[in-house]
Amino acid sequence: MAEFKKFDQRNWVKTNLSYKKDTGSWAWILHRITGIALLGYLFMHIYSLSPLSQGKEAFDTFIAAYTTPFFMALEWFLFAFVLFHSLNGVRIVLVDWADGAKYHKALYRYSIVIGVVMFLAMGYVMFSHEIHKLFK
Amino acid sequence: MYKHRNSQGSGSFSWVFQRVTGLILVVVMIGHYILMHYTPESGHTYDAVLARMQSNWYRVLDLTFVVLAMYHGLNGVWGIFRDYKLKSWQTITIMSLLIIIGLAFTLWGIKTILDIPYVQTSN
């Protein structure tokens, strides 16, 4: 907080990166990145589910590509984006409405811990069937 | 909820609504993930979708989900643009693009959900 850098419009990426970041600024920047990515995914999701209108055969052939382990892994990593945006969103609501400014750094750490646990739990839900198949 | 009367009508409704929709989406989103991946079939076959969509409650939930998620996402993007000093023509262009793209995709999603037929079951 000691020095104030003038914002340079032409090199805003460089200027942004040069700021020293604490939990709050990381939360802010990651919330934006995950938010934009999730909106992009929502557009893709609506597009990729539209063959539902063309009946069973069209949809099942189309969706088969998304049941491969590669796409399942991508969907799992997408859940990391969902979790970050969700838990940090709850953190933002607590900061706004529940005096969270006093404990927002602790909230950030709890979010990360809860997020990692939920990410691993979802990994189990998604891949348990594949794992069971391996040992049959 | 508003401390000063002046703060109404300056985007404060969308600020509150962004939080309300966000809290709803947290619950629905995580539920959606668990349901869609509970078995390999539950989220990735036509039959599973068809079976769920026989319930109007499920249709209403999905329609709400599409609309709220799209609103929350586009309002979020608009919030990012509001961080920058925009000229009025830029405001109008960005706002129009967001609304047009948002409406198009939302209607596409709604159409996809409503197109799924009701079928007679044997039981």
Side-chain angles (χ1 to χ4, degrees), chain A residues 13-115:
Chain A
V13 174
K14 205 176 148 194
T15 316
N16 268 316
L17 289 176
S18 71
Y19 279 108
K20 191 178 183 301
K21 286 177 186 56
D22 210 334
T23 47
S25 26
W26 281 118
W28 178 82
I29 204 160
L30 290 173
H31 200 74
R32 292 215 152 164
I33 294 169
T34 51
I36 293 168
L38 289 172
L39 180 63
Y41 182 80
L42 178 59
F43 286 134
M44 271 169 48
H45 204 45
I46 291 173
Y47 158 74
S48 65
L49 291 182
S50 62
L52 273 171
S53 306
Q54 296 159 27
K56 183 178 161 61
E57 231 160 78
F59 181 74
D60 281 346
T61 20
F62 191 83
I63 208 78
Y66 298 106
T67 58
T68 56
F70 174 70
F71 269 99
M72 282 175 77
L74 283 186
E75 282 173 328
W76 189 32
F77 285 112
L78 181 75
F79 192 60
F81 279 58
V82 169
L83 277 175
F84 185 89
H85 204 82
S86 296
L87 293 167
N88 192 53
V90 172
R91 176 179 160 276
I92 290 172
V93 171
L94 290 173
V95 167
D96 288 339
W97 285 345
D99 224 2
K102 287 176 182 161
Y103 51 90
H104 74 99
K105 285 187 182 177
L107 276 178
Y108 186 77
R109 288 194 292 273
Y110 294 146
S111 309
I112 298 292
V113 174
I114 296 169

Side-chain angles (χ1 to χ4, degrees), chain B residues 8-52:
Chain B
Q8 294 179 39
S10 58
S12 54
F13 171 78
S14 69
W15 182 86
V16 173
F17 204 55
Q18 190 73 351
R19 273 134 190 86
V20 173
T21 52
L23 289 176
I24 297 169
L25 286 170
V26 169
V27 179
V28 183
M29 184 80 231
I30 293 173
H32 180 70
Y33 239 95
I34 294 171
L35 181 67
M36 290 304 152
H37 293 288
Y38 196 69
T39 67
E41 290 78 30
S42 62
H44 298 87
T45 55
Y46 186 80
D47 291 337
V49 179
L50 193 69
R52 274 197 297 273

Side-chain angles (χ1 to χ4, degrees), chain B residues 67-87:
Chain B
V67 173
L68 287 188
M70 194 57 95
Y71 170 80
H72 186 91
L74 292 170
N75 193 44
V77 169
W78 175 234
I80 294 172
F81 281 115
R82 278 196 11 156
D83 276 0
Y84 302 93
K85 264 189 177 171
L86 295 178
K87 299 187 175 62

